[in-house]
Amino acid sequence: MQTNNRRQLVAGNWKMNGDKTLVKQMQQSLAEASLDNMDVVICPPFPYLELFANTVKLGSQNISQFDSGAHTGEVSVAMLKEFNCHYVIVGHSERRADNNESDAVVALKVEQGLKANLTPILCVGEPEDVRENGTLFDYIAAQLDAVLQQVGIQQFAKMVLAYEPIWAIGTGKTASPTQAQEVHAFIRGYLAKQDTNIAANIVILYGGSVKGSNAQELFSQADVDGGLIGGASLNPEDFLSICQAANQ
Ligand code: 13P
């Protein structure tokens, strides 16, 4: 097996949740924790980024694919850089569904993030019917292909991936560790066809109903390098227990 330098990463995606009080509580909990063997990222809604300044590594939940201009309601990579953002979630299934973000738009957003030296956390994942009809791997491959064609395999060295099966998001129905590992191994193997070193080193997160009680088993799978956490990232105690599972 190829050696790698992967470090576990846990990213909290607050989605459209949280308030100033939660920012303070989360800052306090993370400040008191000792998490030396892993990385933590918080992706709060845009207005709260500034409040976290210099206390945690930050990610945004979205970016515009454009540099600037007449795009009402959008936020540019340059603005996020001013607020010390290091990561950006791209292609979350909720944005693909709510905002009609196609694979092509997702690929442009990844490119835009990379151009600004932000680390895209590219999300892929299938709806339940795709898993049931046996086309799971084709579906994931097509999502990866759109980005591979846009930016090329070399850029994947500067990215993080997240496998988030749509049927497991916010449902309490977690993928089993075996199901997660199977898809993570597929993703790594798919990238390895183009570059074995990049494939061996890319961090692949699992997302979908991760909790303190299931994190350790999921994160101990060979190709699972941490998690992208929704609901449980809104409770400092739960989030900390997930981070501790990754810290071991
Ligand atoms: P839940 O952890 O609430 O299932 O959400 C997962 C997710 O969508 C993270 O981006």
Side-chain angles (χ1 to χ4, degrees):
M1 198 166 62
Q2 179 141 5
T3 54
N4 70 73
N5 298 314
R6 301 199 308 266
R7 205 171 135 85
Q8 295 252 324
L9 169 68
V10 172
N13 174 11
W14 283 15
K15 309 189 180 183
M16 201 171 70
N17 297 299
D19 52 22
K20 288 183 179 181
T21 307
L22 183 61
V23 172
K24 284 213 184 78
Q25 290 169 342
M26 193 60 79
Q27 277 173 320
Q28 206 167 351
S29 301
L30 289 171
E32 286 163 8
S34 108
L35 299 165
D36 299 330
N37 303 323
M38 49 86 65
D39 295 314
V40 184
V41 175
I42 303 281
C43 306
F46 292 124
Y48 301 128
L49 285 169
E50 170 87 328
L51 297 180
F52 271 112
N54 303 320
T55 57
V56 295
K57 268 197 195 148
L58 287 171
S60 74
Q61 297 175 18
N62 180 37
I63 44 169
S64 171
Q65 68 267 45
F66 305 111
D67 287 335
S68 64
H71 304 289
T72 301
E74 295 293 325
V75 173
S76 73
V77 286
M79 295 166 189
L80 293 168
K81 295 284 282 186
E82 283 201 301
F83 287 87
N84 250 325
C85 233
H86 287 97
Y87 292 80
V88 56
I89 299 172
V90 180
H92 194 283
S93 58
E94 287 153 14
R95 289 207 59 87
R96 291 179 192 257
D98 294 357
N99 300 80
N100 294 320
E101 286 189 11
S102 62
D103 281 345
V105 167
V106 169
L108 289 174
K109 290 188 177 207
V110 168
E111 187 173 45
Q112 187 73 354
L114 289 166
K115 214 170 76 181
N117 284 326
L118 292 175
T119 302
I121 302 176
L122 170 64
C123 302
V124 297
E126 80 289 358
E128 196 153 33
D129 61 319
V130 164
R131 179 169 276 269
E132 279 165 3
N133 73 23
T135 57
L136 165 64
F137 293 141
D138 291 341
Y139 190 92
I140 304 284
Q143 289 183 320
L144 292 172
D145 281 343
V147 179
L148 281 165
Q149 279 155 22
Q150 185 70 31
V151 303
I153 184 69
Q154 294 307 317
Q155 295 296 313
F156 278 61
K158 302 178 201 155
M159 290 166 57
V160 168
L161 297 179
Y163 169 56
E164 296 207 317
I166 296 170
W167 48 270
I169 296 177
T171 58
K173 234 169 140 184
T174 322
S176 69
T178 312
Q179 283 175 321
Q181 168 57 24
E182 186 187 26
V183 180
H184 283 229
F186 168 77
I187 293 171
R188 208 179 293 288
Y190 194 74
L191 299 179
K193 287 189 208 156
Q194 296 199 31
D195 191 305
T196 49
N197 188 42
I198 285 173
N201 283 294
I202 194 164
V203 166
I204 309 179
L205 309 179
Y206 168 77
S209 299
V210 178
K211 312 182 253 298
S213 56
N214 59 24
Q216 196 169 352
E217 211 186 340
L218 283 161
F219 299 169
S220 63
Q221 301 300 307
D223 290 294
V224 178
D225 307 312
L228 183 54
I229 319 301
S233 74
L234 300 171
N235 178 316
E237 205 179 310
D238 291 346
F239 188 61
L240 250 290
S241 70
I242 293 169
C243 291
Q244 273 147 3
N247 194 50
Q248 287 172 4

